[in-house]
């Protein structure tokens, strides 16, 4: 506490006036500590009402009608509103951090990073919309003009997760809005208040009441109701692979227009370490990637594939680093690993850990300090060794690292990782540059990170998203994202009218 300023080494918030540095990354964010503490102390998380079937019906009607006016607003106006939302959010960092700590139990460092990522999404998508969606003139024969125009599709349903309750929620919603869609947003049940507050902020920035409506409640009822609605023109979903399949099925079965699904789902993310890798660098990357955010990132490292020749040394160092992690109250700056989201998550991860304690080799675990007893749902980071890559079958959304040793053909390791079927993030640690490039190309994985950690994709710098079981693309925070929210129209005009035909006939065709 106190007046002093803490520095968070965060590569976020690259967009906006004067924010880009020459490398495009590694900007340090200076945050005053006292406003954060004050915000946390005074934040209480308000309850939110669940949407009824009648409210869903009413909301979809309103948004369907509202589409006409919102999509008719000039692109520059919509972009200005979204940019303003980014500025408002930037100014309210402390308030949103308070809410994120209290509702999502994220560590302070994660909260600051998340608010700044949400700011980036607003600024980036506003910029991208203006650069990419403007009407284009296409080449054509004499006597004809051709233009290509992108416009919103209608009512977009945005379903977002609890692990980035602000950044992913805001990213989906502003992408859909800036492209001219109206939005029915269904945030995760665990984190409705952050979403509620963000919607209030978007209204303050100028988003009309009939362009964005928040509907709280379970996916099985509210989410399913929105997806099944005949007025739904698109669905943007981040969450589990299993739920993405349910949404796909529901969309396939309903009558009405064929609508796109943008899905960003799970991962079984691996890091491949060869015998030339720098152990200190590997250990730092592993600890960040596997345990930061209590492993509750879809980008998180689950499977470390380390070359037999250096495995013992690397594992020893990872154990040492794990012993130093501080697990506890997310509101304390010293905390590295906070609680997991809810009792269901805690039980699921604990069950997996208990099974591995019986069936696999325990490599190391972080001890919970006596002081952390008062904090519920803490899972101590833990690492196990598995015999084979294929022994990992399921994404465990917590601070559990699985380690496999390999020797022989490095390309075969990548084939095995590809065979897991997910394709979200992949780490490569090697001092052989040509090998890194080759393996990266072989991996059918959306985000590849060489000689660094594999989380914390920066908007516009590492557009984020995978393939296979990890989702449909396009990548969030990337230059192709907005297109998928749009319908395209070409308009061809016979500018020569009747004269055009005469010319053709005269030409003997
Ligand atoms: C998620 O965890 O649902 O790169 C996706 C990262 C984040 C991951 C977000 N952008 O760590």
């Amino acid at each position: 506490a106190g007046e002093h300023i803490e520095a968070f080494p965060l590569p976020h918030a690259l967009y906006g006036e004067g924010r880009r540095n020459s490398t495009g990354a590694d900007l340090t964010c200076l945050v005053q500590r006292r406003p954060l503490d004050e915000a946390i102390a005074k934040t209480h998380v308000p309850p939110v009402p669940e949407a009824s079937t009648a409210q869903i019906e009413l909301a979809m009607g309103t948004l369907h009608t509202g589409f006409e006016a919102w999509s008719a607003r000039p692109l520059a106006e919509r972009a200005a509103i979204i940019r303003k939302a980014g500025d408002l959010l930037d100014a309210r960092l402390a308030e949103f951090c308070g809410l994120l700590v209290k509702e999502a139990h994220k560590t302070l460092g994660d909260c600051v990073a998340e608010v700044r990522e949400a700011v980036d999404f607003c600024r980036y998508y506003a910029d991208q919309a203006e650069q990419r969606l403007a009407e284009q003139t296409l080449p054509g024969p004499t006597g004809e003009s051709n233009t290509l125009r992108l416009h919103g599709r209608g009512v977009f349903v945005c379903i977002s997760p609890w692990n980035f309750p602000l950044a992913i929620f805001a990213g989906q919603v502003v992408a859909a809005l800036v492209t001219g869609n109206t939005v029915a947003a269904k945030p995760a049940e665990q984190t409705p208040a952050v979403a509620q507050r963000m919607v209030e902020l978007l209204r303050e920035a100028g988003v009309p009441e009939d362009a964005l409506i928040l509907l709280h409640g379970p996916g099985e009822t509210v989410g399913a109701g929105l997806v099944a609605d005949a007025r739904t023109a698109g669905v943007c979903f981040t969450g589990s692979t299993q739920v993405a399949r349910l949404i796909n099925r529901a969309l396939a079965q309903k009558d009405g227009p064929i609508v796109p699904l943008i899905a960003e789902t799970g991962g079984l993310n691996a890091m491949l370490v060869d015998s030339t890798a720098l152990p200190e660098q590997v250990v730092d990357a592993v600890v960040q990637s596997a345990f930061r955010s209590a492993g509750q990132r879809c980008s998180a490292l689950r499977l470390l594939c380390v070359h037999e020749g250096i495995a013992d040394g690397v594992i020893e160092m990872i154990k040492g680093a794990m012993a130093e992690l501080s697990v506890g109250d997310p509101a304390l700056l010293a905390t590295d690993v906070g609680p997991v989201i809810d009792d269901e998550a805690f039980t699921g991860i604990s069950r997996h850990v208990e099974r591995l304690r019986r069936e696999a080799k325990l490599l190391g675990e972080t001890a919970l300090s006596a002081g952390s007893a008062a904090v519920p749902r803490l899972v101590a980071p833990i690492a196990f060794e598995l015999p084979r890559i294929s022994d990992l079958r399921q994404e465990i959304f917590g601070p559990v690292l699985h380690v496999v040793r390999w020797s022989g053909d490095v390309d075969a390791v990548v084939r095995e990782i590809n065979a897991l079927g997910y394709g979200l993030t992949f780490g490569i640690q090697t001092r052989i540059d040509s090998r890194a490039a080759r393996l990266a190309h072989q991996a059918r994985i959306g985000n590849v990170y060489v000689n660094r950690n594999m989380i914390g994709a920066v908007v516009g710098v590492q557009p984020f998203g995978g393939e296979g079981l990890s989702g449909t693309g396009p990548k969030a925070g990337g230059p192709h994202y907005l297109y998928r929210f749009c319908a395209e129209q070409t308009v061809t005009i016979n500018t020569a009218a009747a004269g055009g035909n005469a010319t053709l006939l005269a030409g003997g065709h």
Side-chain angles (χ1 to χ4, degrees):
E3 301 271 11
H4 68 282
I5 291 171
E6 297 288 349
F8 291 82
L10 295 171
H12 290 91
L14 295 177
Y15 291 89
E17 210 50 41
R19 287 181 186 274
R20 286 164 229 239
N21 70 2
S22 56
T23 64
D26 220 25
L27 286 191
T28 296
C29 153
L30 296 174
V31 177
Q32 292 208 350
R33 188 64 212 283
R34 179 182 278 188
L36 285 184
D37 285 335
E38 285 172 359
I40 293 168
K42 74 164 186 255
T43 300
H44 80 108
V45 181
V48 297
E50 194 172 301
S52 65
T53 313
Q55 282 168 324
I56 296 174
E57 176 60 31
L58 186 65
M60 291 305 282
T62 303
L63 293 165
H64 189 67
T65 312
F67 174 65
E68 204 176 315
W70 179 246
S71 61
R73 296 276 282 267
L75 181 55
E77 250 178 70
R78 293 197 307 263
I81 290 171
I82 299 308
R83 213 170 270 124
K84 177 158 183 213
D87 293 344
L88 290 173
L89 192 55
D90 201 11
R92 294 187 197 156
L93 180 125
E95 177 197 338
F96 275 88
C97 284
L99 206 46
L100 283 165
V101 169
K102 285 280 176 73
E103 187 180 54
H105 321 293
K106 298 187 74 155
T107 60
L108 217 40
D110 278 354
C111 293
V112 174
E114 177 159 5
V115 176
R116 298 178 73 82
E117 186 177 12
V119 172
D120 276 356
F121 273 132
C122 294
R123 292 175 175 158
Y124 181 76
Y125 289 144
D127 287 359
Q128 287 291 311
E130 289 193 308
Q131 282 167 30
R132 294 177 181 275
L133 307 186
E135 197 166 292
Q136 290 174 49
T137 304
L138 302 177
T142 311
E144 193 177 284
S145 92
N146 286 285
T147 50
L148 174 68
R149 182 172 96 76
L150 293 140
H151 58 90
R153 305 184 74 98
V155 184
F156 235 88
V157 171
C158 293
I159 302 178
S160 51
W162 50 260
N163 68 334
F164 286 87
L166 178 65
I168 294 181
F169 173 81
Q172 292 182 345
V173 167
V174 303
L177 284 172
V178 81
T179 44
N181 299 280
T182 55
V183 177
K186 210 265 341 141
E189 272 183 284
Q190 293 89 336
T191 52
V194 175
Q196 187 89 42
R197 192 68 202 87
M198 183 65 200
V199 166
E200 285 160 23
L201 186 145
L202 283 161
R203 294 225 189 292
E204 195 181 328
V207 175
E209 302 267 342
D210 60 356
L212 169 63
I213 299 177
L214 198 53
L215 298 144
H216 295 294
E220 296 82 359
T221 52
V222 178
L226 293 171
V227 168
D229 195 287
R231 289 158 292 197
T232 293
V235 178
C236 183
F237 168 76
T238 300
S240 71
T241 304
Q242 184 197 348
V243 170
R245 279 196 206 290
L246 293 176
I247 294 174
N248 237 334
R249 255 180 229 138
L251 290 176
Q253 274 161 11
K254 73 172 182 171
D255 293 330
I258 312 293
V259 305
L261 169 64
I262 303 167
E264 201 262 275
T265 60
L268 272 185
N269 310 308
M271 181 184 286
L272 199 172
V273 179
D274 79 3
S275 60
T276 72
L278 283 168
E280 290 82 356
Q281 176 184 287
V282 173
V283 173
D284 179 61
V286 166
V287 170
Q288 292 292 330
S289 307
F291 305 129
R292 181 149 181 211
S293 315
Q296 299 178 113
R297 291 182 182 238
C298 57
S299 54
L301 168 63
R302 310 294 178 200
L303 183 65
L304 176 66
C305 305
V306 57
H307 188 270
E308 179 71 299
I310 61 166
D312 288 340
V314 166
I315 289 168
E316 210 46 49
M317 285 170 69
I318 291 173
K319 279 169 69 172
M322 285 174 72
E324 285 184 33
L325 290 173
S326 154
V327 185
D329 183 350
L332 300 176
L333 203 54
T335 298
D336 300 305
V337 179
V340 297
I341 186 72
D342 58 15
D343 291 343
E344 198 185 323
F346 182 82
T347 310
I349 300 164
S350 304
R351 207 175 288 143
H352 177 77
V353 167
E354 288 319 314
R355 190 171 65 73
L356 288 185
R357 278 187 199 279
R358 291 191 305 271
E359 295 174 7
K361 181 178 167 198
L362 177 67
L363 297 178
E365 74 189 293
T366 305
L368 295 183
S369 67
S372 65
V375 184
R377 301 184 313 282
L378 289 179
V379 179
I382 193 160
F384 293 97
E385 185 168 335
L386 300 178
R388 284 172 306 268
I389 290 174
S390 57
D391 291 330
L392 189 65
R393 284 264 134 250
Q394 193 197 346
E395 179 184 46
I396 301 299
F397 219 63
V400 185
L401 176 67
H402 310 84
V403 181
V404 172
R405 294 167 192 253
W406 67 273
S407 59
D409 180 11
V410 66
D411 297 55
V413 182
V414 177
R415 282 198 292 277
E416 275 188 77
I417 291 167
N418 280 337
L420 292 170
Y422 288 87
L424 199 50
T425 66
F426 181 38
I428 301 172
Q429 298 273 346
T430 178
R431 274 188 274 188
I432 306 170
D433 292 348
S434 59
R435 172 177 282 184
R438 188 181 78 243
L439 299 181
H441 280 108
Q442 285 168 7
R444 283 190 296 282
I445 295 174
N447 290 73
V448 181
Y449 298 96
V450 180
N451 292 331
R452 51 153 282 175
N453 69 54
M454 48 199 273
I455 58 167
V458 175
V459 173
V461 178
Q462 292 105 13
F464 186 78
E467 54 183 281
L469 295 171
S470 295
T472 58
K475 285 165 168 293
H480 306 132
Y481 193 62
L482 295 183
Y483 293 127
R484 192 108 169 100
F485 290 84
C486 297
E488 289 180 291
Q489 183 182 52
T490 55
V491 179
T492 297
I493 300 172
N494 173 9
T495 49
N501 296 333
T503 314
L504 283 176
L505 289 173
H509 291 282

